[in-house]
Amino acid sequence: MRKFTTLVSRAVPLPVENIDTDQIVPARFLKATTREGFGENLFRDWRYHPDGTPKADFVLNNPLYKGEILVTGKNFGCGSSREHAAWALADYGFRAVVSSFFADIFKNNALNNGILPVVVTDEFLKKIFAAIEADPQTLIEINLAQQTITLLAHSLQESFDINPYKKTCLLNGYDDIDYLLSLKTEIETYEQLHGK
Amino acid sequence: MEPKTLFDKIWDSHVVKSQPGYPDVLYIDRHFIHEVTSPQAFAGLRRRGLPVFRPHRTVATADHNVPTKDQHLPIKDALSRMQVETLTKNCADFGIELYGLGHPYQGIVHVIGPELGITQPGMTIVCGDSHTSTHGAFGTIAFGIGTSEVEQVLATQCILQYKPKRMKIEVNGSLGKGVTAKDIILYIISKISAGGATGYFVEYAGSAIRSLSMEGRMTICNMSIEMGARGGLIAPDQTTFDYLQGRLFAPKEEAWEKALAYWKTLYSDPDAPFDRILTFDASDIEPMITYGTNPGMGIKITDRIPTAEELSNPAEILSFRKALQYMGLCEGQPIQGQKVDYVFIGSCTNSRIEDLRLVASIVKGKKKAPHVEVWVIPGSQQVSKQAQAEGLDRIFTEAGFEWRGAGCSACLGMNEDKIPAGKYCISTSNRNFEGRQGPGARTFLASPLSAAAAALKGYITDVREML
C-alpha cells in the first residue's frame, strides 16, 4: 500500500450529505476483474450526461477546483460495500476525504487503499467549505503523524482521530494481510482449541 | 459472571487475538463470495502466491451480474460473462464450492445461505456485500466487507475488526393488518435516518420481532446497513430451530442435539449492557413507502411528503430538495395515487417464498394495470421451484407479471434488468439511491404487499383497502 504521511493540497468541495457508493461508482461499472481504471467512472452520473458529455455544473468538471482532497457532507460512502468506490477515488487521484462522519465499510475500504478518511467536527467542516468557496486556491494540510488538519491561510486547525494500528499501517504502507499472515500459528491454535 | 449481550457472546468466542491499540483478530466461520467483489481478491492471492487457507469455509454463487432471462444460454454481455467465468475459474483453481448459474442451489447469496442451512446460530459470517447483515436473523454476527478483506479471509480465515458499539432496538406489541417486516424496518430507518446506527451492531428484540417468521426476520436484518449499522441480529428461538431442522447443511442427529444445546445459550443476558436502546410500538407502524433517494426518507403510505419547513434538521434541506428534484415529486404531495411504471418484486430483502405467497394472495385471479410492467424475480432456484410447485408462477403470469430466473436483477442496475430513466418503480428491494435501479430510475421502496397492490392499480395505494 502507498504510504501516507503529510499532504498539502487544494481541495474539491462536494457539500452533499449521505453520498452513497452507488453515486461514487454506479454498479454497471463494476464488471471489471482488476482494480485499475475506475477513476474515469468516479461520480459517473453526476459528472456526465447520458451521452458522455461532461455536466458543466458538477464540481469535478469545474476548472476552479482541483486537488487530492475531497471534502464532503456527512455519512459519506454509505450503502454498498463495493471497494470499487475507494479504488475509483484513488484512481482519480484523491488521497484523503474529509467529512463529519463516514460509513463504516467505506472507511475500512479507504484505509485499505491508502486513502485517509479525516473526520472533522460539523463546525470545522463548515469552515472548510466556506474557505474553499471564498478562495478555491485554499490549501489544506493533513498531517497524519500529528493527526491534524489545517486550513493554512487561516491558521485554523483541528485534530482528528484514527486508530493507532491503522495509523501505523498508513505511515509505513503496511497491508492488513501482512499482519494477519504473521499470525498463522495463533489462528491454527485457535482452530484446535475451538474445534473449528 | 458479568451479563453479556448476544453480540458480545458470539464476538468474544471468535477472537483469535486481542491486544491494545490493535483491532481484534476475528475468526470467520462462513464466507460467501460472488462474482463482483471477489476477482480482485483472488488476483491478490495469486500475486502473493497464497492458497485459500480453509476452502471448505467459503461458498460461492453468481447472483449480481447474471441475467434473469434465458439463464441456460451463454451470458450476452461480454464483460458480465467474463466476470462470471472468472468466478468459475477461481473456484476451480482454489477448491471452493460454487453454486453457479444453472446449479439447482444457485441464487442470491443471502437467500441461499439460510435456505441451504449453511447459515447457523452463533456463527461469524462475512461476504463482500453489505446485505450480509441478512444472516443476523439466525443469531449470527454477519456483516459486509470490502474486497481487500475478502482476500484476508481467503488467506487467513480471519478479519481485523474494531468491536462496534451495541444498540438494542425493541419493537413491542402486535402488527396491524397488512403491516409486514418490511414496514417495520422502513419505519425504524425513517425514525433514526440513513446514518443513525453508524458505528453500532444492532440487536432486534421485542414481541413484534419475536412474532416474525425467519423470512420476516431476514428482511429486518437485511436492511440494518441502510441505517448505517455494521449489522443486525436476532436471538435464535424455536422459530429459528424449526426453520433449520432438516435443511441440507444443517447438523443431523447427534450433531443437531449438540448444536441445539449451544444455540439455546445464544441470547442477551438480562441487564446486558447496550450503548443505546430504542423502543418502538408496533401499533404505530403502518404500511411504509420511501419518497426520496435514501432509505431514511420514508413515510406512512397514507401520509404526504413532508415540506422543507417540516424537516427536523435544517441542514438536510439541500439534500431533501435535491432528492425531490431527482424523484420529480413535490413537497407536501400525498404519496397515494402516485403513478408507477414498473413493479419489481425481488432482491435479498424480499424474494423468498413467503414474500411471493404474500404477493400471490393479493394478485390471485386479478390482472395488472395495463401500463405497468411487473417483474417477479425469485431469490433462488429453490424458491423458484417451490413457487412453481405451489402454482404461484401461474398466478403471476395470469396477472400479466413476468416470472423470471433467480438473481439480484433490478435491485442494483448492474445486469440486464434496469428501470429506464425517469420511470417510477415500486420495489421490494433495499435501496432507493439515485440511479440504483438504472441511470435516472426513480425508486419507491415498499413491502411485497404494497408492491402487489400498486401492480394491480397502477399507482401507489394502501394495500389494507384490498385485504
Side-chain angles (χ1 to χ4, degrees):
Chain A
M1 191 172 69
R2 192 173 163 187
K3 287 182 190 178
F4 190 109
T5 51
T6 299
L7 176 66
V8 178
S9 170
R10 288 166 59 189
V12 178
L14 191 53
V16 181
E17 298 182 344
N18 301 310
I19 296 179
D20 58 81
T21 51
D22 276 87
Q23 306 318 311
I24 301 173
V25 58
R28 63 188 190 280
F29 299 109
L30 308 187
K31 296 182 181 184
T33 52
T34 59
R35 289 173 181 237
E36 293 75 34
F38 289 101
E40 64 185 86
N41 294 314
L42 177 66
F43 297 116
R44 176 75 198 200
D45 294 333
W46 289 359
R47 196 168 144 201
Y48 297 107
H49 293 287
D51 67 3
T53 55
K55 290 182 177 176
D57 59 351
F58 186 62
V59 69
L60 293 187
N61 297 323
N62 186 338
L64 272 179
Y65 301 103
K66 292 231 175 316
E68 295 174 278
I69 301 171
L70 180 68
V71 188
T72 81
K74 71 171 185 202
N75 200 21
F76 184 79
C78 59
S80 158
S81 61
R82 61 188 69 164
E83 194 163 315
H84 311 66
W87 298 336
L89 288 162
D91 193 52
Y92 184 85
F94 287 116
R95 305 221 46 222
V97 187
V98 180
S99 184
S100 54
F101 81 86
F102 293 91
D104 288 327
I105 306 178
F106 172 79
K107 190 158 69 181
N108 279 350
N109 288 340
L111 288 164
N112 282 335
N113 286 278
I115 298 174
L116 180 63
V118 180
V119 181
V120 297
T121 60
D122 289 321
E123 295 70 40
F124 198 75
L125 189 64
K126 273 185 207 154
K127 285 178 190 164
I128 301 176
F129 281 130
I132 302 171
E133 196 182 341
D135 178 10
Q137 307 283 336
T138 296
L139 282 178
I140 295 175
E141 182 189 77
I142 297 170
N143 184 322
L144 178 56
Q146 303 288 330
Q147 296 181 217
T148 55
I149 174 166
T150 312
L151 278 163
L152 289 176
H154 305 69
S155 300
L156 282 172
Q157 190 177 78
E158 194 169 86
S159 306
F160 61 86
D161 275 338
I162 180 168
N163 57 67
Y165 166 78
K166 277 294 177 191
K167 181 176 170 179
T168 309
C169 287
L170 278 176
L171 285 171
N172 297 288
Y174 299 154
D175 287 326
D176 281 351
I177 198 164
D178 299 324
Y179 173 57
L180 281 169
L181 287 169
S182 75
L183 300 176
K184 203 168 168 200
T185 313
E186 281 155 289
I187 296 168
E188 283 170 344
T189 306
Y190 170 89
E191 286 181 321
Q192 279 161 14
L193 283 175
H194 291 79
K196 299 283 181 186
Chain B
M1 289 260 281
E2 272 188 37
K4 271 189 175 187
T5 68
L6 169 59
F7 172 78
D8 286 284
K9 287 180 184 179
I10 304 173
W11 181 284
D12 293 350
S13 69
H14 286 82
V15 172
V16 172
K17 189 181 172 85
S18 186
Q19 58 177 323
Y22 281 76
D24 285 350
V25 179
L26 206 61
Y27 193 81
I28 299 302
D29 293 316
R30 288 286 178 277
H31 182 205
F32 293 103
I33 59 170
H34 61 83
E35 73 278 23
V36 180
T37 59
S38 68
Q40 294 86 351
F42 284 107
L45 292 184
R46 287 199 177 89
R47 199 174 57 243
R48 296 172 200 269
L50 293 170
V52 171
F53 183 57
R54 297 289 181 247
H56 68 284
R57 293 191 178 271
T58 296
V59 175
T61 191
D63 56 0
H64 284 63
N65 201 2
V66 299
T68 56
K69 275 194 201 172
D70 299 326
Q71 288 185 328
H72 59 291
L73 298 177
I75 299 174
K76 278 182 261 174
D77 180 82
L79 284 173
S80 301
R81 193 172 62 244
M82 162 86 168
Q83 202 171 45
V84 173
E85 284 169 359
T86 302
L87 178 71
T88 306
K89 181 173 173 8
N90 286 334
C91 288
D93 288 357
F94 288 90
I96 289 167
E97 186 81 52
L98 167 66
Y99 303 138
L101 213 49
H103 193 286
Y105 302 156
Q106 179 267 339
I108 304 175
V109 62
H110 311 309
V111 174
I112 68 167
E115 79 182 1
L116 294 172
I118 299 171
T119 301
Q120 295 165 21
M123 286 180 166
T124 48
I125 299 178
V126 295
C127 172
D129 187 281
S130 58
H131 293 113
T132 307
S133 57
T134 312
H135 305 263
F138 291 78
T140 71
I141 292 185
F143 54 89
I145 56 176
T147 298
S148 296
E149 294 168 315
V150 171
E151 186 182 339
Q152 292 158 26
V153 176
L154 289 172
T156 68
Q157 207 54 44
C158 288
I159 196 165
L160 294 175
Q161 286 288 305
Y162 285 91
K163 203 174 192 176
K165 289 180 281 184
R166 293 141 301 187
M167 183 187 291
K168 179 158 82 169
I169 298 182
E170 267 190 43
V171 188
N172 293 308
S174 310
L175 291 171
K177 187 177 74 167
V179 181
T180 67
K182 182 65 164 287
D183 301 301
I184 298 178
I185 191 65
L186 285 174
Y187 176 84
I188 294 171
I189 303 168
S190 78
K191 290 291 175 195
I192 73 170
S193 90
T198 304
Y200 288 90
F201 211 100
V202 176
E203 178 175 346
Y204 301 96
S207 55
I209 301 292
R210 280 280 143 240
S211 74
L212 295 172
S213 67
M214 285 318 294
E215 312 215 334
R217 295 179 189 186
M218 283 189 256
T219 300
I220 301 264
C221 290
N222 172 273
M223 290 190 72
S224 303
I225 183 71
E226 309 310 337
M227 49 189 175
R230 203 73 181 83
L233 83 175
I234 296 171
D237 57 13
Q238 198 56 45
T239 305
T240 321
F241 311 144
D242 290 344
Y243 177 97
L244 277 169
Q245 194 159 23
R247 301 232 165 220
L248 189 63
F249 295 107
K252 306 278 173 346
E253 298 166 0
E254 260 180 63
W256 170 264
E257 294 305 326
K258 196 176 158 214
L260 197 59
Y262 167 56
W263 296 346
K264 287 181 175 171
T265 67
L266 297 173
Y267 51 83
S268 287
D269 298 327
D271 302 322
F274 286 91
D275 299 286
R276 196 173 167 202
I277 298 177
L278 299 174
T279 307
F280 298 104
D281 184 344
S283 62
D284 289 340
I285 306 176
E286 292 183 26
M288 295 288 294
I289 192 154
T290 63
Y291 61 88
T293 54
N294 75 54
M297 302 174 89
I299 51 174
K300 292 174 180 172
I301 212 159
T302 50
D303 265 353
R304 48 181 188 74
I305 296 169
T307 59
E309 290 73 36
E310 288 164 346
L311 295 179
S312 50
N313 180 1
E316 285 168 6
I317 289 178
L318 206 69
S319 302
F320 170 76
R321 293 213 161 114
K322 188 173 183 295
L324 285 193
Q325 191 186 14
Y326 179 84
M327 291 295 290
L329 300 172
C330 303
E331 293 182 28
Q333 171 189 336
I335 200 80
Q336 277 200 85
Q338 168 64 43
K339 189 180 147 217
V340 297
D341 308 295
Y342 285 78
V343 178
F344 172 61
I345 294 159
S347 88
C348 56
T349 314
N350 284 123
S351 65
R352 297 177 181 83
I353 191 69
E354 282 181 16
D355 300 315
L356 302 188
R357 286 182 191 140
L358 272 182
V359 173
S361 72
I362 297 282
V363 167
K364 192 172 185 179
K366 301 196 178 86
K367 297 272 184 218
K368 72 174 181 71
H371 72 275
V372 180
E373 200 163 317
V374 188
W375 300 340
V376 186
I377 317 288
S380 69
Q381 301 292 346
Q382 301 269 303
V383 170
S384 178
K385 209 169 116 189
Q386 178 70 27
Q388 287 173 43
E390 295 178 21
L392 305 184
D393 58 323
R394 282 199 311 281
I395 294 174
F396 299 142
T397 50
E398 281 164 15
F401 296 6
E402 272 195 52
W403 168 252
R404 301 216 189 151
C408 297
S409 185
C411 173
L412 84 163
M414 171 159 201
N415 50 69
E416 292 170 3
D417 302 347
K418 294 186 186 77
I419 308 303
K423 297 294 183 187
Y424 289 102
C425 177
I426 185 166
S427 176
T428 67
S429 58
N430 39 57
R431 289 190 174 133
N432 51 353
F433 299 152
E434 285 184 32
R436 172 74 182 184
Q437 297 195 284
R442 293 158 161 171
T443 303
F444 299 113
L445 299 177
S447 75
L449 278 179
S450 296
L456 299 178
K457 298 279 191 187
Y459 51 84
I460 294 170
T461 187
D462 186 348
V463 68
R464 291 173 297 186
E465 291 164 11
M466 299 166 74
L467 295 173

